[in-house]
Amino acid sequence: MNFIHSEKTIWILPERTATRTIGQLLNFWEVVILEGGEYKTCVPHKNLIGEFAQGLRHEWEVSELFLDYEILLNVRNPYSRMKSYYHSLFLKNDCMGNKDCDLNFEQFFDKYCNGHGGMLHHFRFEQIFEKRPPKLVIRYENLGEDLIKIPFIHKKYEESEEFRQEWNRVVEKNIFNKETLNESYKYTESEAEKVYRSFENQFKLFGYSEDSWKYL
């Protein structure tokens, strides 16, 4: 979990929803993370080449923490988010522990995102709306326009040339957009049905259409 105490804000950043981009912008503030039950100051890190390195956290269960703070939540179309996770994180790193690197996407989804708990719970961050709805939802597909609606981001953008340069680097030019698209993002109907069934609430809540897998 990520806390910007100077702005009385909690920023929830599920995996594959522009965490590294937000991390670069938040280098202009002091950010505290909750890790292993301890609060730690996040050390600013200038990511120059878009590597997989950042200090922000992905947890979303913050309903009882800092009740006077506003919550920001990043989201992304579950179809592209799950393919992104599979290709960019699971196959490159997470599969090695269980020797599952030979799993195709559907096999991965059946094993790790089926039923209750585990990874499926990790990705069902929309449950936060049941107890503590976010002040603003930032859509990955509409990142710049949604980010500038945040008052402290807008203020920094207006006042700081250094911040505007960083915005141009990580939002406008998006140095982190190194994912392999095209074939790797294609869905079969069977895969799409499983993803939609598992994250139907997110599709409806955040305005992503059921057939959007056809247009990735």
Side-chain angles (χ1 to χ4, degrees), residues 50-134:
E51 70 268 23
F52 278 93
Q54 55 85 26
L56 302 182
R57 316 314 298 163
H58 299 299
E59 294 83 1
W60 57 265
E61 297 185 81
V62 298
S63 58
E64 304 302 324
L65 298 172
F66 300 101
L67 296 179
D68 59 333
Y69 281 30
E70 293 183 342
I71 294 178
L72 305 176
L73 171 66
N74 278 35
V75 303
R76 182 176 182 176
N77 186 317
Y79 290 133
S80 68
R81 189 190 71 229
M82 294 312 299
K83 285 281 186 172
S84 176
Y85 178 83
Y86 172 73
H87 286 288
S88 297
L89 288 180
F90 183 76
L91 289 184
K92 292 181 179 179
N93 183 50
D94 295 356
C95 66
M96 298 177 186
N98 294 320
K99 299 181 180 179
D100 280 340
C101 298
D102 59 338
L103 297 181
N104 63 33
F105 177 78
E106 193 163 7
Q107 291 169 333
F108 147 76
F109 199 84
D110 286 343
K111 181 171 182 177
Y112 289 97
C113 300
N114 201 5
H116 300 284
M119 187 173 290
L120 188 60
H121 178 76
H122 179 64
F123 282 124
R124 281 184 171 163
F125 48 83
E126 78 281 0
Q127 295 175 77
I128 192 172
F129 279 81
E130 298 173 7
K131 293 185 177 180
R132 195 171 170 190

Side-chain angles (χ1 to χ4, degrees), residues 1 9-10 12-13 23 37 49 58 60 71 73 81 84-85 90 115 165 172 186 189 192 196 200 210:
M1 284 162 277
T9 295
I10 302 172
I12 298 175
L13 296 163
I49 59 174
H58 299 299
W60 57 265
I71 294 178
L73 171 66
R81 189 190 71 229
S84 176
Y85 178 83
F90 183 76
Q165 291 176 359
E172 300 294 341
K186 285 190 174 180
E189 287 194 23
Y196 185 80
E200 183 175 359
E210 182 176 356

